[in-house]
Amino acid sequence: MSEYQAVKGTRDIFPEEVAQWRYVEEIVHTLSTLCGFSEIRTPVFEYTELFQRGIGPTTDIVGKEMFSFLPDPKGRSVTLRPEMTAGVMRAALQKKLFSLAPLHKLYYIGELFRKERPQAGRQRQFSQFGAELLGVSSPAAVAEVITLMMQVFESLGLTGLKLRINTLGDTEDRLRYREALQLYFSPFQEILDDASKERLEKNPLRILDSKNPAVQELVAGAPRLYDYLKASSLQDFEKVLFYLAEREIAYVIDHRLVRGLDYYSHTAFEVSSAELGAQDAIGGGGRYDGLARELGSSADVPASGFAVGMERLLITMEKQGLFAALHPHGPHVYVVVQQQELADHALQITWQLRKAGIKSEMDLAGRSMKAQMRDANRIRASYVLFVGTMEYSTGLYSLKNLATSRQTTLSLEALLQFLQEVAVKEQPAL
Ligand code: AMP
């Protein structure tokens, strides 16, 4: 073992697992495209103020979880992105996308960084896929992003996920509610912890998010935002629920659901997995009509979006046995060389196979035939192609199917054709 270990809260993803990631990513690309979303890739770090403004100063992320540093001594502080939405909105505003068209549908898959205490399902570097629908604020728009997210889960075969949904109303609704919360919590100064006291002044809604059991008990009796919504806000929420019901997406209304970020308005939602233990949130999102202005836009850019944690999604899939059907693409040929003086000829054949699109491998260390056969079995090759003096002189090669032990002798041309046909048949259907 080397003296170096991966940094706490980060992990390596080895090839077998990478196959699982790529399978999920493929479905994300396919379904997002199907629903009219295009992929965006933004930088891994941004100016720190972007997140301070965009996520909100009273959030845990900005308060204590950002990896920030100075790129040069006199430079502006930058931060490894702890979430994607602020960067995506920044990119759209910077590129003046909204002068070209009012509506933009973007999706992403990318790495994020948060200085949280690492534990099962919680890392310091993790990945999310998500989508942002920018430029329109409507129940149909937020229902569209929820539907895309749920469709990805369904296509992956996931079951037992719980979608909780709530409405946070608009700014006016929340102002009235904020006052009601301050009135309710103020007499309980002895029970409130320091963080909650600070939130009571700055953003009392965030007290509802507290993990402190004593505060949670208080929260249970707190007024509900739902009771402070104006008629138009209620109608908006009901329309979202109507779309979900029409698309047979099951949900539970959870009046206590407030998302960790400040920029949400109206609909907020979260999906949890019973497979995950304490860190059971697999994804979430909502509508964030106020973000663009917060980032200095002179015009409103209403928006909705979601983000799903890739690692937690993969853990859930693994627990539900959803990777069992994953198999490698095409036949896997191991070229076995019988006499070392024919190694260069065997290499030439290997490259011809690869050029024809047939996944193939051969030993590069000059090992014995027995060792090569062992290797072929270890990497679970489907076929072994023998190269010996006989084959070299006649141009006819023996191909052995390792599963059935059946052997056929074919010219190189016929062999390539045969293997290409097998490859086509074995392509997994999405
Ligand atoms: P959030 O933006 O915090 O709602 O995160 C959206 C999703 O990302 C969560 O539901 C998790 O699945 C995932 N996630 C958030 N933080 C972490 C983390 N530290 N490690 C792994 N996954 C995370």
Side-chain angles (χ1 to χ4, degrees):
M1 200 173 65
S2 115
E3 68 181 283
Y4 294 109
Q5 306 275 304
V7 175
K8 216 170 108 196
T10 70
R11 60 191 293 270
D12 304 302
I13 304 172
F14 283 97
E16 222 165 276
E17 224 185 307
V18 169
Q20 302 175 348
W21 281 72
R22 287 175 59 159
Y23 169 70
V24 173
E25 286 163 4
E26 200 58 45
I27 288 192
V28 170
H29 290 303
T30 306
L31 288 179
S32 302
T33 309
L34 182 81
C35 296
F37 287 79
S38 310
E39 188 181 358
I40 185 166
R41 301 183 186 191
T42 61
V44 172
F45 53 89
E46 300 267 1
Y47 288 122
T48 301
E49 301 98 275
L50 176 78
F51 301 117
Q52 286 168 338
R53 293 292 297 271
I55 304 175
T58 61
T59 57
D60 280 351
I61 293 183
V62 170
K64 51 186 185 201
E65 295 172 2
M66 298 208 296
F67 284 106
S68 303
F69 56 98
L70 287 174
D72 51 76
K74 287 193 187 138
R76 270 161 85 184
S77 167
V78 300
T79 293
L80 296 180
R81 62 187 182 195
E83 58 96 55
M84 289 291 293
T85 304
V88 170
M89 183 62 97
R90 194 262 319 130
L93 293 172
Q94 183 176 342
K95 185 91 174 160
K96 299 192 171 62
L97 285 188
F98 304 102
S99 65
L100 304 173
L103 179 74
H104 294 273
K105 295 166 73 170
L106 301 167
Y107 79 96
Y108 57 81
I109 304 177
E111 279 78 42
L112 305 171
F113 307 85
R114 292 184 194 171
K115 207 186 288 172
E116 296 186 275
R117 194 172 57 77
Q119 62 184 90
R122 195 156 82 185
Q123 295 167 216
R124 291 185 156 182
Q125 177 182 330
F126 61 100
S127 300
Q128 287 181 344
F129 78 85
E132 316 285 2
L133 203 162
L134 309 178
V136 63
S137 181
S138 68
V142 77
E144 178 135 329
V145 297
I146 299 176
T147 309
L148 169 59
M149 177 183 72
M150 297 307 282
Q151 223 181 323
V152 171
F153 294 147
E154 194 186 316
S155 296
L156 292 171
L158 285 158
T159 50
L161 298 183
K162 188 165 148 193
L163 170 66
R164 289 176 301 124
I165 190 162
N166 190 21
T167 178
L168 307 176
D170 64 11
T171 316
E172 279 172 27
D173 297 331
R174 279 199 306 282
L175 268 179
R176 272 181 291 138
Y177 182 53
R178 192 190 152 105
E179 282 164 21
L181 282 181
Q182 277 169 335
L183 261 178
Y184 171 79
F185 283 116
S186 291
F188 298 112
Q189 296 289 338
E190 267 131 70
I191 301 173
L192 294 177
D193 49 39
D194 287 347
S196 300
K197 278 185 196 148
E198 200 186 326
R199 287 167 175 172
L200 186 58
E201 292 304 313
K202 292 186 183 157
N203 189 355
L205 246 90
R206 306 235 35 252
I207 301 180
L208 306 182
D209 236 1
S210 169
K211 304 278 179 291
N212 178 338
V215 177
Q216 267 302 319
E217 254 177 61
L218 280 184
V219 167
R224 298 187 318 173
L225 173 56
Y226 203 70
D227 299 319
Y228 292 79
L229 297 178
K230 59 169 86 70
S232 59
S233 298
L234 273 172
Q235 277 163 9
D236 183 290
F237 189 46
E238 273 155 21
K239 193 73 198 263
V240 176
L241 302 180
F242 161 80
Y243 286 128
L244 296 183
E246 243 194 355
R247 296 169 201 176
E248 295 181 7
I249 296 173
Y251 61 82
V252 180
I253 297 175
D254 178 355
H255 292 304
R256 298 274 166 237
L257 175 73
V258 286
R259 301 263 308 145
L261 316 183
D262 276 356
Y263 51 58
Y264 286 98
S265 52
H266 291 290
T267 313
F269 54 90
E270 210 159 271
V271 177
S272 54
S273 155
E275 242 83 49
L276 283 176
Q279 301 298 322
D280 69 347
I282 196 163
R287 229 167 102 177
Y288 46 93
D289 296 352
L291 175 63
R293 279 212 188 265
E294 203 56 54
L295 300 185
S297 165
S298 53
D300 276 326
V301 179
S304 351
F306 72 82
V308 170
M310 287 287 284
E311 286 81 1
R312 294 188 197 171
L313 178 73
L314 280 135
I315 294 171
T316 307
M317 287 184 68
E318 180 79 56
K319 292 207 169 151
Q320 296 190 354
L322 297 174
F323 292 125
L326 269 193
H327 57 85
H329 290 244
H332 205 136
V333 180
Y334 196 101
V335 179
V336 168
V337 59
Q338 285 168 321
Q339 290 87 12
Q340 279 309 318
E341 57 273 25
L342 291 173
D344 286 351
H345 179 61
L347 263 179
Q348 174 64 9
I349 288 182
T350 309
W351 276 104
Q352 269 177 279
L353 288 169
R354 290 174 182 169
K355 272 194 176 160
I358 296 152
K359 197 164 128 192
S360 37
E361 193 50 280
M362 96 163 253
D363 173 50
L364 298 176
R367 284 180 294 181
S368 70
M369 222 180 111
K370 205 168 141 200
Q372 294 176 57
M373 287 303 290
R374 221 182 301 125
D375 216 24
N377 283 309
R378 184 183 60 80
I379 65 168
R380 292 197 222 111
S382 314
Y383 297 93
V384 163
L385 175 69
F386 293 103
V387 176
T389 41
M390 255 299 263
E391 283 81 3
Y392 184 62
S393 56
T394 60
L396 295 174
Y397 296 86
S398 303
L399 185 74
K400 181 176 177 182
N401 181 325
L402 286 181
T404 61
S405 288
R406 230 178 294 144
Q407 200 157 317
T408 37
T409 303
L410 296 166
S411 70
L412 193 56
E413 199 181 323
L415 209 118
L416 290 178
Q417 197 181 350
F418 168 77
L419 289 168
Q420 276 173 327
E421 278 164 19
V422 179
V424 169
K425 267 189 253 150
E426 286 191 358
Q427 281 295 339
L430 254 192

